[in-house]
């Protein structure tokens, strides 16, 4: 028996906001990378953040996950069962993860000298607590915890289809599998919201299809997801709502259909029409 | 093949030219004559030619092996890995080693016991530094400072307050760990080369303070008459005391291996390795960078402190000259040469690096030359160390 992923069911979380980003502004010296961006993610939803290159999407991610300290604005996380939302502004990256936001990286950042299973076990680190003395004397509680970590991590690997490769070094995995392992590692931290930074970058069509199925599977368990992506087919298939950014500002938001016909968005991607 | 021969020939001519002043010309300053030893040119050229050929041949072989590993999907474990990972062989192998360690003093002379005790001390130092450098990936060039803290805490506490070996052993370790934390808090924000430079400076500071603060540490003249480890107050003869110290070290080594092995496979050990691999990803997984680094640093320092106490008790005399940068470099070479993060590798590295110069004494002044050549050859042919670390695999029982 494996521990089943403890996310709430889709209906119970639905339509309640879990992440609220208000007026997020980030200046690098005189350059304004983000100018007052508002964004929200509701429970169980898949939200996409798109925009041309250099629009500020990754900067947005880095502000939310604590890698950058935003100049202005606030980031609020609504934890279920708590009255007041928690502000993530000014927290360190590891504290943000503990609070319930887990991310993947645009350029894969796996622990290459560790096995696949160990990579996922690292994700369990912030939800467990064995320490020096536990490690040295292997007390009963430590052994119990260690077993839980292994079982839980393995169950996540099964979910993303990497269970057969559990003892392989992560550097030996094919590209698509490495991407999936990054997602598995983030899932292991039991996040309220999963942030995916260009999960399909560099994938071939078949790998992208597998990724779409995987994200749909994860989402069907009630997991809220915010993703940055350039692959429009993937974005339109998966996301329930889309936010569009350009030059550090939000220029549109809405359902895939609304975005597809939005003049501002078309302008941002294709440029303005010339009057003859 | 012909180009290889030509390259070796060029190398041999080049070497003959380079060594010409020292190998051929011999000035007799009393009779004011010059002796020309032309035969030496021939020896050097022939010797270098064959060495160079051997070197090229081994390099070629290494490349071929690397090519094979790339193409094949299954990477085979080396025989030594199979040996240490096999459950029963591992126990047998360990027991045999332990038996050898136990009978060692009955077979060999006091001199041999003494150098083996020193080698075992470096095994523990290497394993301690292995936590910092091998697992957590923090390049620490001032490790000897913590060793000095341990040694001086025993010498001074004994000198002023008459505390015994066993009382100071934990105190020395804890003091060194505290120094580790004190140094770590400001310094661990730095990475890689910068961290190496600052720790190098710290090591030198400790040594210079000990050298110049005469009232505190008695300066360069050092502290003598430090008691050897006690055994329930029994008076031991010198030979017995040396044997007793040797057995103590064997116990220390066994305990250290036991604990380091457990640390390596624990939640903490995994966090260290993750930190070594990728700091940003590690933080994004919710691991507190500072805390994890500090623990690695202070645990490493703790072991150095303990061995420092042991060192003071073994030699019964310490002065700052025992804690130079050369010691740090030696311990670091043990870790790198043995194989970063690998316990068996570090043990082997320590034994080779400490015992080899002792046994090479017959080569007298050439022994450091041979030692250096061995290190260079090592880095060319096995950059990952003698025995590289292999991560633990887990078997998952599906029927639970």
């Amino acid at each position: 028996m494996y521990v089943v992923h403890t996310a709430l069911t889709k209906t119970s979380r639905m339509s309640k906001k879990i992440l609220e980003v208000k007026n997020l502004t980030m200046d690098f010296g005189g350059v304004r990378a983000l100018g007052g961006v508002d964004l929200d993610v509701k429970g169980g939803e898949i939200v996409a953040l798109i925009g041309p290159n250099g629009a500020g999407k990754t900067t947005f991610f880095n502000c939310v996950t604590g890698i950058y300290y935003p100049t202005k604005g606030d980031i609020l996380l609504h934890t279920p069962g708590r009255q007041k939302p928690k502000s993530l502004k000014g927290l360190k990256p590891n504290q943000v993860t503990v609070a319930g936001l887990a991310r993947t990286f645009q350029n894969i950042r796996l622990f290459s000298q560790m096995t696949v299973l160990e990579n996922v076990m690292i994700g369990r680190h912030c939800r467990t607590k064995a320490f020096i003395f536990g490690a040295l004397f292997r007390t009963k509680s430590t052994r119990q915890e260690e077993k839980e970590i292994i079982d839980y991590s393995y169950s996540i690997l099964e979910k993303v289809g990497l269970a057969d490769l559990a003892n392989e070094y992560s550097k030996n995995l094919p590209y698509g599998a490495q991407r999936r392992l990054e997602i598995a590692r983030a899932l292991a931290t039991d996040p309220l919201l999963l942030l995916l930074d260009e999960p399909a970058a560099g994938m071939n069509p078949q790998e992208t299809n597998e990724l779409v199925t995987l994200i749909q599977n994860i989402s069907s368990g009630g997991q809220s997801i915010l993703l940055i992506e350039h692959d429009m087919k993937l974005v339109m298939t998966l996301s329930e709502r889309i936010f569009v950014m350009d030059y550090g500002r939000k220029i549109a938001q809405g359902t895939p259909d609304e975005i597809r016909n939005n003049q501002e968005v078309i302008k941002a991607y294709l440029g303005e029409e010339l009057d003859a | 093949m012909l180009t290889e021969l030509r390259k070796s020939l060029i190398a041999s001519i080049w070497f003959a030219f380079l060594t010409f002043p020292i190998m051929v010309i011999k000035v007799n300053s009393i009779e004011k004559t010059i002796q020309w030893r032309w035969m030496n040119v021939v020896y050097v050229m022939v010797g270098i030619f064959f060495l160079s050929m051997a070197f090229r041949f081994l390099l070629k072989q290494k490349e071929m092996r690397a090519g094979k590993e790339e193409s094949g999907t299954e990477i085979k474990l080396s025989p030594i890995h199979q040996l240490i990972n096999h459950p029963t062989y591992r126990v047998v192998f360990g027991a045999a080693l332990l038996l050898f360690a136990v009978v060692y003093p009955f077979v060999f002379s006091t001199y041999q016991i003494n150098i083996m005790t020193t080698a075992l001390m470096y095994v523990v130092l290497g394993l301690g530094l292995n936590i910092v450098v091998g697992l957590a990936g923090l390049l620490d060039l001032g490790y000897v400072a913590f060793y000095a803290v341990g040694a001086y805490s025993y010498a001074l506490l004994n000198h002023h307050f008459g505390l015994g070996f066993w009382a100071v052993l934990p105190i020395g370790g804890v003091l060194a760990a505290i120094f580790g934390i004190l140094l770590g808090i400001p310094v661990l924000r730095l990475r890689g080369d910068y961290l190496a430079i600052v720790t190098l400076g710290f090591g030198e500071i400790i040594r210079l303070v000990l050298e110049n603060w005469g009232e505190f540490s008695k300066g360069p003249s050092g502290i003598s008459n430090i008691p050897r480890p006690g055994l329930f107050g029994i008076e031991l003869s010198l030979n017995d005391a040396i044997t007793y110290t040797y057995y103590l070290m064997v116990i220390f080594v066994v305990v250290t291996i036991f604990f380091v092995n457990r640390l390596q496979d624990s939640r903490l050990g995994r966090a260290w390795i993750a930190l070594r691999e990728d700091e940003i990803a590690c933080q994004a997984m919710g691991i507190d960078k500072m805390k994890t680094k500090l623990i690695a640093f202070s645990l490493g320092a703790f072991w150095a402190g303990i061995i420092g106490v042991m060192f003071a008790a073994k030699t019964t005399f310490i002065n700052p000259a025992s804690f130079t940068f050369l010691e740090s470099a030696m311990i670091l070479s043990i870790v790198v040469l043995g194989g970063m993060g690998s316990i068996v590798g570090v043990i082997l590295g320590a034994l080779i690096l400490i015992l080899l110069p002792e046994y090479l004494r017959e080569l007298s002044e050439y022994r450091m030359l041979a030692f250096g050549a061995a290190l260079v050859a090592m880095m060319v042919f096995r950059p990952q160390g003698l025995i590289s670390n292999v991560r633990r695999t887990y078997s998952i029982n599906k029927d639970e």
Side-chain angles (χ1 to χ4, degrees), chain B residues 233-278:
Chain B
I234 303 168
E235 282 286 315
L236 291 169
S237 69
L238 184 62
N239 269 341
D240 286 346
I242 287 170
T243 315
Y244 174 57
T245 317
Y246 167 80
Y247 279 125
L248 270 186
M249 265 330 292
V250 171
I251 294 169
F252 275 22
V253 168
V254 171
V255 170
T256 308
I257 293 172
F258 179 76
F259 279 149
V260 172
N261 190 29
R262 285 198 156 183
L263 276 175
Q264 194 167 285
D265 283 330
S266 71
R267 170 177 175 268
L268 202 56
R270 282 194 301 271
W272 285 334
I273 295 167
L275 201 63
R276 180 187 78 193
E277 297 291 314
D278 192 326

Side-chain angles (χ1 to χ4, degrees), chain A:
Chain A
M1 251 301 284
Y2 302 112
V3 188
V4 182
H5 195 245
T6 50
L8 297 174
T9 56
K10 194 151 184 163
T11 42
S12 71
R13 262 202 207 172
M14 199 64 177
S15 77
K16 258 191 191 163
K17 279 181 189 173
I18 56 165
L19 181 77
E20 232 183 322
V21 179
K22 290 177 185 164
N23 190 29
L24 195 70
T25 306
M26 180 78 214
D27 293 337
F28 292 110
V31 181
R32 175 150 289 191
L34 290 176
V37 180
D38 294 311
L39 184 145
D40 64 278
V41 182
K42 299 191 181 96
E45 209 179 17
I46 300 182
V47 175
L49 182 61
I50 63 170
N53 284 328
K57 305 176 302 279
T58 299
T59 308
F60 177 85
F61 256 39
N62 285 344
C63 280
V64 170
T65 54
I67 292 176
Y68 298 151
Y69 183 73
T71 318
K72 254 194 290 186
D74 206 356
I75 307 144
L76 298 173
L77 188 70
H78 298 260
T79 316
R82 267 179 58 163
Q83 286 298 314
K84 266 181 144 180
K86 185 182 169 79
S87 172
L88 299 181
K89 194 184 173 188
L91 291 186
K92 286 187 195 153
N94 53 306
Q95 292 167 325
V96 171
T97 309
V98 174
L101 247 59
R103 70 171 293 178
T104 65
F105 293 89
Q106 191 176 344
N107 39 351
I108 296 175
R109 282 178 172 274
L110 287 171
F111 308 120
S112 53
Q113 293 293 323
M114 301 175 92
T115 64
V116 169
L117 184 66
E118 279 179 320
N119 265 278
V120 184
M121 284 162 79
I122 286 290
R124 291 306 294 160
H125 188 94
C126 62
R127 305 290 173 221
T128 47
K129 54 185 189 297
F131 210 53
I132 300 176
F133 293 101
L136 292 185
F137 301 107
R138 266 189 210 166
T139 53
K140 201 177 168 203
S141 63
T142 310
R143 269 177 286 146
Q144 182 69 27
E145 188 183 272
E146 196 72 9
K147 193 178 169 306
E148 277 167 21
I149 293 175
I150 295 171
D151 288 349
Y152 194 102
S153 304
Y154 194 76
S155 73
I156 289 177
L157 280 182
E158 281 182 327
K159 207 153 128 186
V160 301
L162 291 174
D164 296 339
L165 299 167
N167 282 325
E168 193 66 49
Y169 279 89
S170 65
K171 63 178 173 188
N172 295 343
L173 293 189
Y175 186 80
Q178 290 195 356
R179 284 261 174 227
R180 275 184 288 156
L181 179 55
E182 266 218 328
I183 295 174
R185 193 177 64 175
L187 276 179
T189 66
D190 250 342
L192 287 168
L193 176 64
L194 183 64
L195 302 166
L196 304 176
D197 195 350
E198 295 200 23
M203 281 188 168
N204 62 33
Q206 196 211 330
E207 284 171 331
T208 310
N209 281 339
E210 284 171 18
L211 181 77
V212 170
T213 322
L214 174 65
I215 295 178
Q216 278 166 344
N217 273 342
I218 295 168
S219 170
S220 67
Q223 178 71 54
S224 325
I225 297 168
L226 173 61
L227 62 96
I228 293 178
E229 190 46 69
H230 277 298
D231 187 327
M232 280 308 141
K233 205 178 130 212
L234 181 143
V235 169
M236 294 300 169
T237 327
L238 281 176
S239 35
E240 287 153 53
R241 282 190 303 144
I242 299 174
F243 289 78
V244 190
M245 282 177 69
D246 194 20
Y247 293 115
R249 290 171 306 111
K250 185 174 80 182
I251 56 170
Q253 76 177 80
T255 60
D257 280 331
E258 288 165 8
I259 294 300
R260 209 170 283 159
N261 303 315
N262 187 305
Q263 284 306 312
E264 282 278 321
V265 177
I266 295 169
K267 210 169 78 186
Y269 271 92
L270 301 176
E272 237 164 312
E273 221 171 306
L274 276 174
D275 284 324

Side-chain angles (χ1 to χ4, degrees), chain B residues 315-328:
Chain B
T315 54
T316 70
F317 166 75
I318 54 167
N319 71 348
S322 310
F323 308 106
T324 55
F325 169 66
L326 201 66
E327 288 297 302
S328 289

